Amino acid sequence: MTMPTGLAHECVSLVPLFNQLTHADKETIESIVHQHHYQPGETIFSAGDSLDSLMIIASGQVKVYQLAENGKEQLLYLLKTGDFEGESALFSQTTRQSFGEALLPTAICQIERSDFQMLMQQYPSISINLLNEFGHRLSKLEKRTTQATTSSIESRLADYLVETSAGLKETTFKLPLKKKDLATYLGTTPETISRKLKDFEDQGFITQGGGKKVTILDSDALALIS
Amino acid sequence: MTMPTGLAHECVSLVPLFNQLTHADKETIESIVHQHHYQPGETIFSAGDSLDSLMIIASGQVKVYQLAENGKEQLLYLLKTGDFEGESALFSQTTRQSFGEALLPTAICQIERSDFQMLMQQYPSISINLLNEFGHRLSKLEKRTTQATTSSIESRLADYLVETSAGLKETTFKLPLKKKDLATYLGTTPETISRKLKDFEDQGFITQGGGKKVTILDSDALALIS
DNA sequence: CGACACTTTGATGCGCGTCAACCTCAGTGG
DNA sequence: CCACTGAGGTTGACGCGCATCAAAGTGTCG
């Protein structure tokens, strides 16, 4: 399944994970990655799959979500180019607990568990980079959990708009998710998102254009919503 | 602040983090830890503090929580002997985002950021152990977030009871938290906890004894609550 | 034994999920 | 080029779960 394209090179050079390595080191890594391509809507992995490789997004976009017992979907992460996914742990778990689905045409590089563990032994900087990334994810998840259990939907949506805008450094932007997915991300329903956005518009905090476009007019007011 | 007790030894030998090290290695680590003691109710660290050391619980119990903007408390972790806390990242963050409070008389060993990073360079197994731990925390948090946004309080409480019972390998046990803290852990209020526990009792799933004691009668029924 | 924190119980209200109908729009085939 | 279709989005009506407020009960530690 390994292909003779430049994609392996992209994977390795793109990812912050391998930042500190020399060119030669990166080449040895390139030789052990495997590649796959996925179409929008295609499932990349499912809960229950055995977890035997680290996946790196070479291009495209992947949504990672869990299903609750009642069948409800919870969007956990949205992975973009350069992000990676190893179920938070190529270490502890052996079975996946979440689903991955391509939202765009997506190319993925995989490194086998054993190969990756060898790499970590050989290049300690990889572990440090991984710890960094895990630390960030943990902090963000802690904040999300706190928000999910203590704040209103209104507040969570406002916060999401402000953060997304800040992340893109644009006050006008297109929502990166379908409302349905945004709803599961925030732990609510599309209907409620619709209503709250309308409320925000009525209060003059935002304006909505066609095609999921949003303009933030008063981010301070949004940030103050409790 | 370093003290000549055997506590430093305990810290290092207790923690899974340092499992694979030789006795000699552990002794060098013991020489660089600092120690502190705290009384129940005492605050160990606060949000906004600078984050410059890894903390290991030598004995006692610590609750780690965040405050939402509306002032509500969210219990994130309950740390027991052998657990550690470095705000999920001695790496990325420089400022703490959570609070730590001793619930029992508690002894804590600290390792300075720079010392710890040196240790990780020297002993790669420490990084691997850390990655393991972070992986576990991430998985658990992902599950909690999913539950928080998709399931009812009833379901979350039922799940908590089952998991706690399974963790202790006892069907009769004392709740390790005050109802007030349990409430913030599950993202609800003490009143609701009271009522739901009564419901469970009425339905014959559990019985309640004095002093936070609970006996699980039908864990299957509890697990089925959606 | 008194004071204070925790817990329980009841009454009330509101946020948001649910269900259903309608609207919009992009893609498809005639 | 336009009607057809189906998915995503919007809007309204309604009800339930749980937070909130208040007050009485219980435990615990000095």
CSV table of all heavy atoms in Angstrom, one decimal, chain B residues 5-62:
chain,number,residue,atom,x,y,z
B,5,THR,N,13.2,13.5,56.1
B,5,THR,CA,12.4,12.3,56.4
B,5,THR,C,12.5,11.3,55.3
B,5,THR,O,13.2,11.5,54.3
B,5,THR,CB,10.9,12.7,56.5
B,5,THR,OG1,10.4,13.1,55.2
B,5,THR,CG2,10.7,13.9,57.4
B,6,GLY,N,11.8,10.2,55.4
B,6,GLY,CA,11.8,9.2,54.4
B,6,GLY,C,10.8,9.5,53.3
B,6,GLY,O,10.6,8.7,52.4
B,7,LEU,N,10.2,10.7,53.4
B,7,LEU,CA,9.1,11.0,52.5
B,7,LEU,C,9.5,11.1,51.0
B,7,LEU,O,8.8,10.6,50.1
B,7,LEU,CB,8.4,12.3,52.9
B,7,LEU,CG,7.0,12.2,53.5
B,7,LEU,CD1,6.4,13.6,53.6
B,7,LEU,CD2,6.2,11.3,52.6
B,8,ALA,N,10.7,11.6,50.8
B,8,ALA,CA,11.2,11.8,49.5
B,8,ALA,C,11.3,10.4,48.9
B,8,ALA,O,11.0,10.2,47.7
B,8,ALA,CB,12.6,12.4,49.5
B,9,HIS,N,11.8,9.5,49.6
B,9,HIS,CA,11.9,8.1,49.2
B,9,HIS,C,10.5,7.5,48.8
B,9,HIS,O,10.4,6.9,47.7
B,9,HIS,CB,12.5,7.2,50.2
B,9,HIS,CG,12.6,5.8,49.8
B,9,HIS,ND1,13.4,5.3,48.8
B,9,HIS,CD2,11.9,4.7,50.3
B,9,HIS,CE1,13.3,4.0,48.7
B,9,HIS,NE2,12.3,3.6,49.5
B,10,GLU,N,9.5,7.8,49.6
B,10,GLU,CA,8.2,7.3,49.3
B,10,GLU,C,7.7,7.9,48.0
B,10,GLU,O,7.2,7.1,47.2
B,10,GLU,CB,7.2,7.8,50.4
B,10,GLU,CG,7.2,6.9,51.6
B,10,GLU,CD,6.2,7.4,52.6
B,10,GLU,OE1,5.1,7.6,52.2
B,10,GLU,OE2,6.5,7.5,53.8
B,11,CYS,N,7.8,9.2,47.8
B,11,CYS,CA,7.4,9.8,46.6
B,11,CYS,C,7.9,9.1,45.4
B,11,CYS,O,7.1,8.7,44.5
B,11,CYS,CB,7.9,11.2,46.5
B,11,CYS,SG,7.2,12.4,47.7
B,12,VAL,N,9.2,8.9,45.4
B,12,VAL,CA,9.8,8.3,44.2
B,12,VAL,C,9.5,6.8,44.0
B,12,VAL,O,9.2,6.4,42.9
B,12,VAL,CB,11.3,8.5,44.3
B,12,VAL,CG1,12.0,7.9,43.1
B,12,VAL,CG2,11.6,10.0,44.3
B,13,SER,N,9.4,6.1,45.1
B,13,SER,CA,9.2,4.7,45.0
B,13,SER,C,7.7,4.4,44.7
B,13,SER,O,7.4,3.4,44.1
B,13,SER,CB,9.7,3.9,46.2
B,13,SER,OG,9.1,4.4,47.4
B,14,LEU,N,6.9,5.3,45.2
B,14,LEU,CA,5.4,5.0,45.1
B,14,LEU,C,4.9,5.2,43.7
B,14,LEU,O,4.0,4.4,43.2
B,14,LEU,CB,4.7,6.1,45.9
B,14,LEU,CG,4.4,5.8,47.4
B,14,LEU,CD1,3.8,7.0,48.1
B,14,LEU,CD2,3.5,4.6,47.5
B,15,VAL,N,5.5,6.1,43.0
B,15,VAL,CA,4.9,6.6,41.7
B,15,VAL,C,5.2,5.7,40.6
B,15,VAL,O,6.4,5.4,40.3
B,15,VAL,CB,5.3,8.0,41.4
B,15,VAL,CG1,4.6,8.6,40.3
B,15,VAL,CG2,5.2,8.9,42.6
B,16,PRO,N,4.2,5.2,39.9
B,16,PRO,CA,4.4,4.4,38.7
B,16,PRO,C,5.3,5.1,37.7
B,16,PRO,O,6.0,4.4,36.9
B,16,PRO,CB,3.0,4.3,38.1
B,16,PRO,CG,2.0,4.5,39.3
B,16,PRO,CD,2.8,5.5,40.2
B,17,LEU,N,5.3,6.4,37.7
B,17,LEU,CA,6.1,7.2,36.8
B,17,LEU,C,7.5,6.8,36.8
B,17,LEU,O,8.2,6.8,35.7
B,17,LEU,CB,6.0,8.7,37.3
B,17,LEU,CG,6.3,9.8,36.3
B,17,LEU,CD1,5.5,9.6,35.1
B,17,LEU,CD2,6.0,11.1,37.0
B,18,PHE,N,8.0,6.4,37.9
B,18,PHE,CA,9.5,6.1,38.0
B,18,PHE,C,9.7,4.6,38.1
B,18,PHE,O,10.8,4.1,38.5
B,18,PHE,CB,10.1,6.8,39.2
B,18,PHE,CG,9.9,8.2,39.2
B,18,PHE,CD1,9.3,8.9,40.2
B,18,PHE,CD2,10.4,9.0,38.1
B,18,PHE,CE1,9.2,10.3,40.2
B,18,PHE,CE2,10.3,10.4,38.1
B,18,PHE,CZ,9.7,11.0,39.1
B,19,ASN,N,8.7,3.8,37.7
B,19,ASN,CA,8.8,2.4,37.8
B,19,ASN,C,10.0,1.7,37.4
B,19,ASN,O,10.7,0.9,38.1
B,19,ASN,CB,7.6,1.8,37.0
B,19,ASN,CG,6.5,1.4,38.0
B,19,ASN,OD1,6.7,1.3,39.2
B,19,ASN,ND2,5.3,1.1,37.4
B,20,GLN,N,10.4,2.0,36.1
B,20,GLN,CA,11.4,1.2,35.5
B,20,GLN,C,12.9,1.6,35.9
B,20,GLN,O,13.8,1.0,35.5
B,20,GLN,CB,11.4,1.3,34.0
B,20,GLN,CG,10.4,0.4,33.3
B,20,GLN,CD,9.0,1.1,33.1
B,20,GLN,OE1,8.8,2.2,33.7
B,20,GLN,NE2,8.1,0.5,32.4
B,21,LEU,N,13.0,2.5,36.8
B,21,LEU,CA,14.3,3.0,37.2
B,21,LEU,C,15.0,2.1,38.2
B,21,LEU,O,14.4,1.4,39.0
B,21,LEU,CB,14.2,4.4,37.7
B,21,LEU,CG,13.6,5.5,36.8
B,21,LEU,CD1,13.7,6.9,37.3
B,21,LEU,CD2,14.2,5.4,35.4
B,22,THR,N,16.3,2.2,38.1
B,22,THR,CA,17.1,1.4,39.1
B,22,THR,C,17.1,2.1,40.4
B,22,THR,O,16.7,3.3,40.5
B,22,THR,CB,18.6,1.3,38.6
B,22,THR,OG1,19.2,2.6,38.7
B,22,THR,CG2,18.7,0.8,37.2
B,23,HIS,N,17.5,1.4,41.4
B,23,HIS,CA,17.5,2.0,42.8
B,23,HIS,C,18.5,3.2,42.8
B,23,HIS,O,18.1,4.2,43.4
B,23,HIS,CB,18.1,0.9,43.8
B,23,HIS,CG,18.0,1.4,45.2
B,23,HIS,ND1,16.8,1.7,45.8
B,23,HIS,CD2,18.9,1.7,46.1
B,23,HIS,CE1,17.0,2.1,47.0
B,23,HIS,NE2,18.3,2.1,47.3
B,24,ALA,N,19.6,3.1,42.2
B,24,ALA,CA,20.5,4.2,42.2
B,24,ALA,C,19.9,5.5,41.5
B,24,ALA,O,20.0,6.6,42.0
B,24,ALA,CB,21.8,3.8,41.4
B,25,ASP,N,19.2,5.2,40.4
B,25,ASP,CA,18.6,6.3,39.7
B,25,ASP,C,17.5,7.0,40.6
B,25,ASP,O,17.4,8.2,40.7
B,25,ASP,CB,17.9,5.8,38.4
B,25,ASP,CG,18.9,5.4,37.4
B,25,ASP,OD1,20.0,5.9,37.4
B,25,ASP,OD2,18.5,4.6,36.5
B,26,LYS,N,16.8,6.2,41.3
B,26,LYS,CA,15.7,6.7,42.1
B,26,LYS,C,16.4,7.6,43.2
B,26,LYS,O,15.8,8.6,43.6
B,26,LYS,CB,14.9,5.6,42.8
B,26,LYS,CG,14.0,4.9,41.8
B,26,LYS,CD,13.1,3.9,42.5
B,26,LYS,CE,12.3,3.2,41.4
B,26,LYS,NZ,11.5,2.1,42.0
B,27,GLU,N,17.5,7.2,43.7
B,27,GLU,CA,18.2,8.0,44.7
B,27,GLU,C,18.5,9.4,44.2
B,27,GLU,O,18.4,10.4,45.0
B,27,GLU,CB,19.4,7.3,45.3
B,27,GLU,CG,19.0,6.2,46.3
B,27,GLU,CD,20.2,5.6,47.0
B,27,GLU,OE1,21.3,5.7,46.4
B,27,GLU,OE2,20.0,5.0,48.1
B,28,THR,N,19.0,9.4,43.0
B,28,THR,CA,19.3,10.8,42.5
B,28,THR,C,18.1,11.6,42.4
B,28,THR,O,18.1,12.8,42.6
B,28,THR,CB,20.0,10.7,41.1
B,28,THR,OG1,19.1,10.3,40.1
B,28,THR,CG2,21.2,9.7,41.1
B,29,ILE,N,17.0,11.0,42.0
B,29,ILE,CA,15.7,11.8,41.9
B,29,ILE,C,15.3,12.2,43.3
B,29,ILE,O,14.9,13.4,43.5
B,29,ILE,CB,14.6,10.9,41.3
B,29,ILE,CG1,15.0,10.6,39.9
B,29,ILE,CG2,13.3,11.6,41.3
B,29,ILE,CD1,14.0,9.7,39.1
B,30,GLU,N,15.4,11.3,44.3
B,30,GLU,CA,15.0,11.7,45.6
B,30,GLU,C,15.8,13.0,46.1
B,30,GLU,O,15.2,13.8,46.9
B,30,GLU,CB,15.4,10.6,46.6
B,30,GLU,CG,14.4,9.4,46.5
B,30,GLU,CD,14.8,8.2,47.3
B,30,GLU,OE1,15.6,8.4,48.2
B,30,GLU,OE2,14.4,7.1,46.9
B,31,SER,N,17.0,13.1,45.6
B,31,SER,CA,17.7,14.3,46.1
B,31,SER,C,17.2,15.6,45.5
B,31,SER,O,17.6,16.7,46.0
B,31,SER,CB,19.2,14.1,45.7
B,31,SER,OG,19.4,14.2,44.3
B,32,ILE,N,16.4,15.6,44.5
B,32,ILE,CA,16.0,16.8,43.9
B,32,ILE,C,14.5,17.2,44.2
B,32,ILE,O,14.0,18.1,43.7
B,32,ILE,CB,16.2,16.9,42.4
B,32,ILE,CG1,15.5,15.7,41.7
B,32,ILE,CG2,17.7,16.9,42.1
B,32,ILE,CD1,15.6,15.8,40.2
B,33,VAL,N,13.8,16.3,44.9
B,33,VAL,CA,12.4,16.6,45.2
B,33,VAL,C,12.3,17.5,46.4
B,33,VAL,O,13.1,17.5,47.3
B,33,VAL,CB,11.5,15.4,45.4
B,33,VAL,CG1,11.6,14.4,44.3
B,33,VAL,CG2,11.9,14.7,46.7
B,34,HIS,N,11.3,18.4,46.4
B,34,HIS,CA,11.0,19.3,47.5
B,34,HIS,C,9.7,18.8,48.1
B,34,HIS,O,8.8,18.3,47.4
B,34,HIS,CB,10.8,20.7,47.0
B,34,HIS,CG,12.0,21.2,46.4
B,34,HIS,ND1,12.6,22.5,46.6
B,34,HIS,CD2,12.8,20.7,45.4
B,34,HIS,CE1,13.6,22.7,45.9
B,34,HIS,NE2,13.8,21.6,45.1
B,35,GLN,N,9.5,19.1,49.4
B,35,GLN,CA,8.3,18.6,50.0
B,35,GLN,C,7.4,19.6,50.7
B,35,GLN,O,8.0,20.6,51.2
B,35,GLN,CB,8.6,17.5,51.1
B,35,GLN,CG,9.3,16.3,50.5
B,35,GLN,CD,9.8,15.4,51.6
B,35,GLN,OE1,9.0,15.1,52.5
B,35,GLN,NE2,11.0,15.0,51.5
B,36,HIS,N,6.1,19.4,50.7
B,36,HIS,CA,5.2,20.3,51.4
B,36,HIS,C,4.1,19.5,52.1
B,36,HIS,O,3.8,18.4,51.6
B,36,HIS,CB,4.6,21.3,50.5
B,36,HIS,CG,5.6,22.2,49.9
B,36,HIS,ND1,6.0,23.4,50.5
B,36,HIS,CD2,6.3,22.2,48.7
B,36,HIS,CE1,6.9,24.0,49.8
B,36,HIS,NE2,7.1,23.3,48.7
B,37,HIS,N,3.6,20.0,53.1
B,37,HIS,CA,2.4,19.4,53.8
B,37,HIS,C,1.2,20.3,53.8
B,37,HIS,O,1.4,21.5,54.0
B,37,HIS,CB,2.8,19.0,55.2
B,37,HIS,CG,3.8,17.9,55.2
B,37,HIS,ND1,3.6,16.6,55.4
B,37,HIS,CD2,5.2,18.0,55.0
B,37,HIS,CE1,4.7,15.9,55.4
B,37,HIS,NE2,5.7,16.7,55.2
B,38,TYR,N,0.1,19.7,53.7
B,38,TYR,CA,-1.1,20.6,53.7
B,38,TYR,C,-2.2,20.0,54.6
B,38,TYR,O,-2.3,18.7,54.7
B,38,TYR,CB,-1.7,20.7,52.2
B,38,TYR,CG,-0.7,21.3,51.3
B,38,TYR,CD1,0.2,20.6,50.6
B,38,TYR,CD2,-0.7,22.7,51.1
B,38,TYR,CE1,1.1,21.2,49.7
B,38,TYR,CE2,0.2,23.3,50.3
B,38,TYR,CZ,1.1,22.5,49.6
B,38,TYR,OH,2.0,23.1,48.8
B,39,GLN,N,-3.0,20.8,55.1
B,39,GLN,CA,-4.1,20.4,56.0
B,39,GLN,C,-5.4,20.3,55.1
B,39,GLN,O,-5.5,21.0,54.1
B,39,GLN,CB,-4.4,21.4,57.1
B,39,GLN,CG,-3.2,21.5,58.1
B,39,GLN,CD,-2.8,20.1,58.6
B,39,GLN,OE1,-3.6,19.3,59.0
B,39,GLN,NE2,-1.5,19.8,58.5
B,40,PRO,N,-6.4,19.5,55.6
B,40,PRO,CA,-7.7,19.5,54.9
B,40,PRO,C,-8.2,20.9,54.7
B,40,PRO,O,-8.2,21.7,55.6
B,40,PRO,CB,-8.6,18.7,55.8
B,40,PRO,CG,-7.6,17.8,56.6
B,40,PRO,CD,-6.4,18.6,56.7
B,41,GLY,N,-8.7,21.1,53.5
B,41,GLY,CA,-9.3,22.5,53.2
B,41,GLY,C,-8.3,23.5,52.7
B,41,GLY,O,-8.7,24.5,52.2
B,42,GLU,N,-7.0,23.1,52.9
B,42,GLU,CA,-6.0,24.1,52.4
B,42,GLU,C,-5.9,24.1,50.9
B,42,GLU,O,-5.9,23.0,50.3
B,42,GLU,CB,-4.7,23.7,53.1
B,42,GLU,CG,-3.7,24.8,53.3
B,42,GLU,CD,-2.5,24.4,54.1
B,42,GLU,OE1,-2.6,23.4,54.9
B,42,GLU,OE2,-1.5,25.1,54.0
B,43,THR,N,-5.6,25.2,50.4
B,43,THR,CA,-5.4,25.3,48.9
B,43,THR,C,-4.0,25.1,48.6
B,43,THR,O,-3.1,25.7,49.2
B,43,THR,CB,-5.9,26.7,48.4
B,43,THR,OG1,-7.3,26.9,48.6
B,43,THR,CG2,-5.6,26.9,46.9
B,44,ILE,N,-3.7,24.2,47.6
B,44,ILE,CA,-2.4,23.8,47.3
B,44,ILE,C,-1.9,24.7,46.1
B,44,ILE,O,-0.8,25.1,46.1
B,44,ILE,CB,-2.3,22.4,46.9
B,44,ILE,CG1,-2.7,21.5,48.1
B,44,ILE,CG2,-0.9,22.0,46.5
B,44,ILE,CD1,-2.9,20.1,47.9
B,45,PHE,N,-2.8,24.9,45.1
B,45,PHE,CA,-2.4,25.8,44.1
B,45,PHE,C,-3.7,26.4,43.5
B,45,PHE,O,-4.8,25.9,43.7
B,45,PHE,CB,-1.6,25.2,42.9
B,45,PHE,CG,-2.3,23.9,42.4
B,45,PHE,CD1,-3.2,24.1,41.4
B,45,PHE,CD2,-2.0,22.7,42.8
B,45,PHE,CE1,-3.8,22.9,40.8
B,45,PHE,CE2,-2.6,21.5,42.3
B,45,PHE,CZ,-3.5,21.7,41.3
B,46,SER,N,-3.6,27.5,42.8
B,46,SER,CA,-4.8,28.2,42.3
B,46,SER,C,-4.6,28.5,40.8
B,46,SER,O,-3.5,28.6,40.3
B,46,SER,CB,-5.0,29.6,43.0
B,46,SER,OG,-5.1,29.3,44.4
B,47,ALA,N,-5.7,28.8,40.1
B,47,ALA,CA,-5.6,29.2,38.7
B,47,ALA,C,-4.9,30.5,38.7
B,47,ALA,O,-5.1,31.4,39.5
B,47,ALA,CB,-7.0,29.3,38.1
B,48,GLY,N,-4.0,30.7,37.7
B,48,GLY,CA,-3.3,31.9,37.6
B,48,GLY,C,-1.9,31.7,38.2
B,48,GLY,O,-1.0,32.5,37.8
B,49,ASP,N,-1.7,30.8,39.0
B,49,ASP,CA,-0.3,30.5,39.5
B,49,ASP,C,0.6,30.1,38.4
B,49,ASP,O,0.1,29.5,37.4
B,49,ASP,CB,-0.3,29.3,40.5
B,49,ASP,CG,-0.9,29.7,41.9
B,49,ASP,OD1,-1.3,30.9,42.0
B,49,ASP,OD2,-0.9,28.8,42.8
B,50,SER,N,1.8,30.5,38.5
B,50,SER,CA,2.8,30.0,37.5
B,50,SER,C,3.0,28.5,37.7
B,50,SER,O,3.0,28.1,38.9
B,50,SER,CB,4.1,30.8,37.6
B,50,SER,OG,4.8,30.4,38.7
B,51,LEU,N,3.2,27.8,36.6
B,51,LEU,CA,3.3,26.4,36.7
B,51,LEU,C,4.8,26.0,36.5
B,51,LEU,O,5.3,25.9,35.4
B,51,LEU,CB,2.5,25.8,35.6
B,51,LEU,CG,2.5,24.3,35.4
B,51,LEU,CD1,2.1,23.6,36.6
B,51,LEU,CD2,1.7,23.9,34.2
B,52,ASP,N,5.5,25.7,37.6
B,52,ASP,CA,6.9,25.5,37.5
B,52,ASP,C,7.4,24.2,38.1
B,52,ASP,O,8.6,24.0,38.3
B,52,ASP,CB,7.7,26.7,38.0
B,52,ASP,CG,7.1,27.1,39.3
B,52,ASP,OD1,6.4,26.4,40.0
B,52,ASP,OD2,7.4,28.3,39.8
B,53,SER,N,6.4,23.4,38.5
B,53,SER,CA,6.9,22.1,39.1
B,53,SER,C,5.8,21.0,38.9
B,53,SER,O,4.6,21.3,38.8
B,53,SER,CB,7.3,22.3,40.5
B,53,SER,OG,6.1,22.6,41.3
B,54,LEU,N,6.3,19.8,38.9
B,54,LEU,CA,5.4,18.6,38.9
B,54,LEU,C,5.2,18.3,40.3
B,54,LEU,O,6.1,18.2,41.2
B,54,LEU,CB,6.1,17.5,38.2
B,54,LEU,CG,5.3,16.2,38.1
B,54,LEU,CD1,4.4,16.2,37.0
B,54,LEU,CD2,6.3,15.0,38.0
B,55,MET,N,3.9,18.0,40.7
B,55,MET,CA,3.6,17.6,42.0
B,55,MET,C,3.2,16.1,42.1
B,55,MET,O,2.4,15.7,41.3
B,55,MET,CB,2.4,18.4,42.5
B,55,MET,CG,2.7,19.9,42.6
B,55,MET,SD,1.3,20.8,43.3
B,55,MET,CE,2.0,22.4,43.6
B,56,ILE,N,3.7,15.5,43.1
B,56,ILE,CA,3.3,14.1,43.3
B,56,ILE,C,2.7,13.9,44.7
B,56,ILE,O,3.2,14.4,45.7
B,56,ILE,CB,4.6,13.2,43.3
B,56,ILE,CG1,5.3,13.3,41.9
B,56,ILE,CG2,4.3,11.7,43.5
B,56,ILE,CD1,6.7,12.7,41.8
B,57,ILE,N,1.6,13.2,44.8
B,57,ILE,CA,0.9,13.0,46.0
B,57,ILE,C,1.6,11.9,46.8
B,57,ILE,O,1.5,10.7,46.4
B,57,ILE,CB,-0.6,12.7,45.9
B,57,ILE,CG1,-1.2,13.5,44.8
B,57,ILE,CG2,-1.3,12.8,47.2
B,57,ILE,CD1,-1.3,15.0,45.1
B,58,ALA,N,2.3,12.2,47.9
B,58,ALA,CA,3.0,11.2,48.7
B,58,ALA,C,2.0,10.5,49.6
B,58,ALA,O,2.0,9.3,49.8
B,58,ALA,CB,4.1,11.8,49.5
B,59,SER,N,1.0,11.3,50.1
B,59,SER,CA,-0.1,10.7,50.9
B,59,SER,C,-1.2,11.7,51.0
B,59,SER,O,-0.9,12.9,50.9
B,59,SER,CB,0.4,10.3,52.3
B,59,SER,OG,0.8,11.5,53.0
B,60,GLY,N,-2.4,11.2,51.2
B,60,GLY,CA,-3.5,12.1,51.3
B,60,GLY,C,-4.4,12.1,50.1
B,60,GLY,O,-4.4,11.1,49.4
B,61,GLN,N,-5.1,13.2,49.9
B,61,GLN,CA,-6.1,13.3,48.8
B,61,GLN,C,-6.3,14.7,48.4
B,61,GLN,O,-6.4,15.6,49.2
B,61,GLN,CB,-7.4,12.7,49.3
B,61,GLN,CG,-8.3,12.2,48.1
B,61,GLN,CD,-9.5,11.5,48.7
B,61,GLN,OE1,-10.2,12.0,49.6
B,61,GLN,NE2,-9.9,10.3,48.1
B,62,VAL,N,-6.3,14.9,47.1
B,62,VAL,CA,-6.4,16.3,46.6
B,62,VAL,C,-7.5,16.4,45.5
B,62,VAL,O,-7.6,15.5,44.7
B,62,VAL,CB,-5.1,16.7,45.9
B,62,VAL,CG1,-5.2,18.1,45.3
B,62,VAL,CG2,-4.0,16.7,46.9
